[in-house]
Amino acid sequence: MVFLGGPRQSGKTTLAKMLAENDQKRYCNWDDDGDRELLLKGLLPVDEGLIILDEIHKYRFWRRLVKGWFDKKGDVLRILVTGSARLDHYRHGGDSLQGRYHFLRLHPFSVAELGLSSVNEVKALLAFGGFPEPYLLKSEVETRRWSREFRTRIVKDEVRDLERVMDLGLIERLCIRLPDLVGSPLSINSLREDLQVSHIAVSHWLEILERLYFIFRLPPFGPPKIRAVKKECKHYHFDWTQVREPGPKFEIWSPAICLNGVIILKILKAGEWNCGIFGMLTCMKSISWFLKMGNQRSLLNVK
């Protein structure tokens, strides 16, 4: 089995349907009433070959369901599970799938994937973002509309379906506030004071937004002698168009592109490249992204 996660509207469903050669019988979506009823009965539309299960992680016992199918029909059935959340995290009490699946991530477009070679092409990617719909439309109005709807759907669809959170309004306020804080260490205590909630609540909400691929955080790396290194992490958005200022937007864009490349290398090298230790080093008015991949270390300097 393969679990394919990543930000919503990054192309997971389109890629899955391409693999199935647009055979609708092989595609099941948990949000569709007919497909959901079929899956709840423990049935599949096909008995062999590729089957795509989209957004099935919204079902509490989805892991137990796919484990049964894999153990019984794994020799003839290929299962692809897609979802806009970290499928390796949302277990919801289901059985362990250790050794039965590979977890992959699909991120927005990068420079290398698009084969960009000119400055204007790179500027377009920076201006319209790496998500397929706004990038292909190349309209500032449509990009702003898409970005606003992306944030709203994360809160009112994903958070509501997957997390036990009562006050969605405060989480949406947090999502609106976060783009203004890109470029500086993220102070949870400051956010707590702005939202008038507890430190634990803000920490929990940030973890939720990470699990749903709304943001990602990078810890500082460096010896304690470097005075610029602070304890707090910096945060970045997969949708960098939410940041309006050119400086912070470029800072948010560079680690997103680097993270995409590290994940690709990790897949190609079968786990030899580790993107878990991925941090930032701030010194002398420049920013260096520190990557540790196995025994190899490298720095990418951005000025």
Side-chain angles (χ1 to χ4, degrees), residues 51-254:
I51 180 71
I52 300 165
L53 305 175
D54 196 6
E55 303 293 339
I56 195 176
H57 64 282
K58 295 178 180 178
Y59 176 44
R60 182 176 180 84
F61 302 108
W62 70 276
R63 297 176 70 91
R64 182 185 305 171
L65 201 61
V66 297
K67 179 177 180 291
W69 290 328
F70 180 81
D71 291 344
K72 187 176 181 179
K73 303 179 180 180
D75 54 338
V76 296
L77 195 64
R78 295 178 297 155
I79 301 176
L80 173 60
V81 180
T82 65
S84 51
R86 293 191 175 178
L87 302 176
D88 56 339
H89 174 83
Y90 287 103
R91 302 174 185 272
H92 288 307
D95 294 344
S96 173
L97 294 173
Q98 183 67 33
R100 293 179 174 87
Y101 74 96
H102 300 288
F103 178 67
L104 306 178
R105 288 190 285 179
L106 183 65
H107 283 205
F109 291 142
S110 66
V111 175
E113 288 175 317
L114 294 172
L116 306 183
S117 57
S118 68
V119 175
N120 289 335
E121 290 176 333
V122 174
K123 286 183 177 180
L125 179 62
L126 184 61
F128 303 114
F131 287 88
E133 182 180 344
Y135 175 77
L136 295 175
L137 290 175
K138 288 185 171 57
S139 166
E140 293 184 2
V141 174
E142 292 299 320
T143 298
R144 289 195 296 270
R145 176 197 59 80
W146 185 94
S147 182
R148 183 175 59 254
E149 292 179 353
F150 175 79
R151 182 192 66 227
T152 302
R153 288 170 181 168
I154 286 286
V155 174
K156 296 186 177 179
D157 293 344
E158 303 290 345
V159 176
R160 182 195 60 194
D161 291 341
L162 298 173
E163 301 285 349
R164 297 178 181 178
V165 177
M166 299 299 295
D167 200 336
L168 297 179
L170 285 177
I171 295 187
E172 189 165 15
R173 283 181 57 191
L174 176 62
C175 293
I176 295 173
R177 175 65 174 144
L178 285 174
D180 297 331
L181 304 177
V182 169
S184 59
L186 184 63
S187 173
I188 296 179
N189 189 57
S190 177
L191 289 172
R192 177 192 66 80
E193 294 176 352
D194 290 344
L195 299 174
Q196 294 295 304
V197 294
S198 67
H199 189 281
I200 296 177
V202 176
S203 299
H204 179 54
W205 293 347
L206 290 173
E207 291 173 358
I208 290 175
L209 295 178
E210 279 192 284
R211 290 197 291 266
L212 297 176
Y213 295 101
F214 184 74
I215 63 171
F216 62 96
R217 287 184 285 181
L218 304 182
F221 180 88
K225 294 181 181 180
I226 300 179
R227 60 182 175 83
V229 174
K230 297 184 179 181
K231 184 178 180 180
E232 294 89 352
C233 296
K234 283 191 173 185
H235 81 286
Y236 301 95
H237 295 253
F238 289 98
D239 176 23
W240 54 78
T241 62
Q242 295 189 41
V243 180
R244 302 302 179 192
E245 296 297 325
K249 178 181 285 190
F250 182 74
E251 182 179 344
I252 200 177
W253 176 72
S254 56

Side-chain angles (χ1 to χ4, degrees), residues 237-302:
H237 295 253
F238 289 98
D239 176 23
W240 54 78
T241 62
Q242 295 189 41
V243 180
R244 302 302 179 192
E245 296 297 325
K249 178 181 285 190
F250 182 74
E251 182 179 344
I252 200 177
W253 176 72
S254 56
I257 297 296
C258 291
L259 182 60
N260 196 12
V262 170
I263 290 173
I264 293 173
L265 290 173
K266 183 178 180 181
I267 296 172
L268 295 177
K269 297 295 183 179
E272 295 178 10
W273 293 66
N274 185 1
C275 62
I277 306 176
F278 186 100
M280 83 323 190
L281 177 67
T282 307
C283 185
M284 300 299 291
K285 298 182 180 180
S286 66
I287 302 168
S288 296
W289 309 110
F290 178 86
L291 288 76
K292 181 180 179 183
M293 295 163 282
N295 294 324
Q296 303 180 39
R297 295 175 174 85
S298 60
L299 285 172
L300 173 64
N301 186 258
V302 180

